Amino acid sequence: MTAPVFVVDTLAPGEPGGGEYVLDGPEGRHAVSVKRLRPGEAVVLTDGRGRWTEGVVSAAEGKDRLVVGELAPVREEPGERPRVTVVQALPKGDRGEVAVETMTEVGVDAIVPWAASRCVTQWRGDRGLKALAKWRATAREAGKQSRRVRFPEVADAATTKEVAALLAGADFAGVLHESGDAPLAGAELPEAGEIVLVVGPEGGVSPEELARFAEAGARPYRLGRTVLRTSTAGTAATAALLTRTGRWGV
């Protein structure tokens, strides 16, 4: 799939093709004024939840209205297996958006913001809601850029207790930490189910958090000899996992 992707509100599974769709608002403006699409070019429309269709531009009107015709029947892409969830500790500044953007591009399925004890940044009140909205908007834009039709879910910020519960229910649970005596690249992974991986903050995962996660069945793993930033570790780890699950081999 190489055609540019645009997000629409809803697509009904099994909806027959041959119709027409008018893309307006921010998506229409991006298509007409930024991408400068013209009649005859192919586009993909998706709801970001796995449903998608493709069509051909029949008209570009004004600065924010794109008419797409020759629509194919709506298809639904199943969720990937195994499903990969990254628990991302809250980084400083805009590094959170960097982490979300690159993890989306490599193929992570869900992102859980985590208020770790050593996080400098804390999401409280309106500031937390605004930060979460930025993460979700970043996932949406990165999903479009990387030609995905099923965007990663970005959950509400989780406490350590909630992360431990998530790990306890996973088919594979791991924590990226320099104390790990086993490389993530050699871990035994499930063919299906849920993989949950924890990425700590700049100050690292505390001993108390490591102990709690160990009780939940999560083992510490290392990526290599170097220590990555919290904003890049999740992306590198997801890439390492996907090459071994076969999801990158098709």
Side-chain angles (χ1 to χ4, degrees):
M1 184 185 303
T2 58
V5 172
F6 296 94
V7 182
V8 298
D9 291 334
T10 58
L11 286 173
E15 186 174 317
E20 188 175 84
Y21 191 93
V22 176
L23 196 66
D24 53 14
E27 290 291 277
R29 187 175 304 109
H30 183 73
V32 175
S33 300
V34 179
K35 300 293 288 186
R36 298 186 180 278
L37 296 178
R38 295 293 179 263
E41 296 189 76
V43 297
V44 170
L45 305 179
T46 180
D47 62 1
R49 297 182 294 276
R51 300 186 186 109
W52 65 283
T53 183
E54 53 191 346
V56 177
V57 176
S58 56
E61 303 170 350
K63 296 182 178 180
D64 60 358
R65 182 180 168 91
L66 193 79
V67 182
V68 182
E70 301 180 37
L71 292 174
V74 173
R75 285 172 275 183
E76 185 163 8
E77 181 179 286
E80 296 280 8
R81 293 291 181 267
R83 176 180 164 91
V84 177
T85 295
V86 174
V87 177
Q88 173 67 59
L90 307 179
K92 295 183 293 186
D94 64 355
R95 292 190 181 278
E97 288 96 272
V98 171
V100 171
E101 179 180 56
T102 54
M103 285 193 289
T104 298
E105 290 173 0
V106 299
V108 73
D109 301 295
I111 300 167
V112 180
W114 171 39
S117 62
R118 293 179 176 176
C119 283
V120 174
T121 298
Q122 296 294 328
W123 286 3
R124 296 189 180 93
D126 290 342
R127 178 182 179 183
L129 294 175
K130 184 177 180 180
L132 179 60
K134 282 185 177 180
W135 280 35
R136 288 173 172 164
T138 299
R140 171 187 166 114
E141 292 307 310
K144 290 167 54 180
Q145 185 277 326
S146 54
R147 306 295 198 265
R148 292 181 63 166
V149 295
R150 186 178 291 276
F151 303 161
E153 302 167 13
V154 180
D156 293 339
T159 64
T160 297
K161 179 180 179 180
E162 290 168 334
V163 172
L166 186 64
L167 292 167
D171 298 280
F172 174 88
V175 182
L176 293 183
H177 197 267
E178 61 268 21
S179 67
D181 58 2
L184 185 65
E188 185 175 345
L189 303 176
E191 294 183 1
E194 185 90 20
I195 294 173
V196 179
L197 195 65
V198 176
V199 177
E202 287 90 343
V205 181
S206 73
E208 295 78 15
E209 289 164 339
L210 275 177
R212 188 158 194 173
F213 294 160
E215 290 176 1
R219 179 179 179 179
Y221 289 93
R222 53 183 169 80
L223 274 174
R225 296 180 181 179
T226 59
V227 177
L228 279 67
R229 287 185 180 272
T230 184
S231 55
T232 56
T235 301
T238 299
L241 292 172
L242 293 182
T243 58
R244 299 190 55 244
T245 61
R247 283 177 49 176
W248 274 14
V250 295

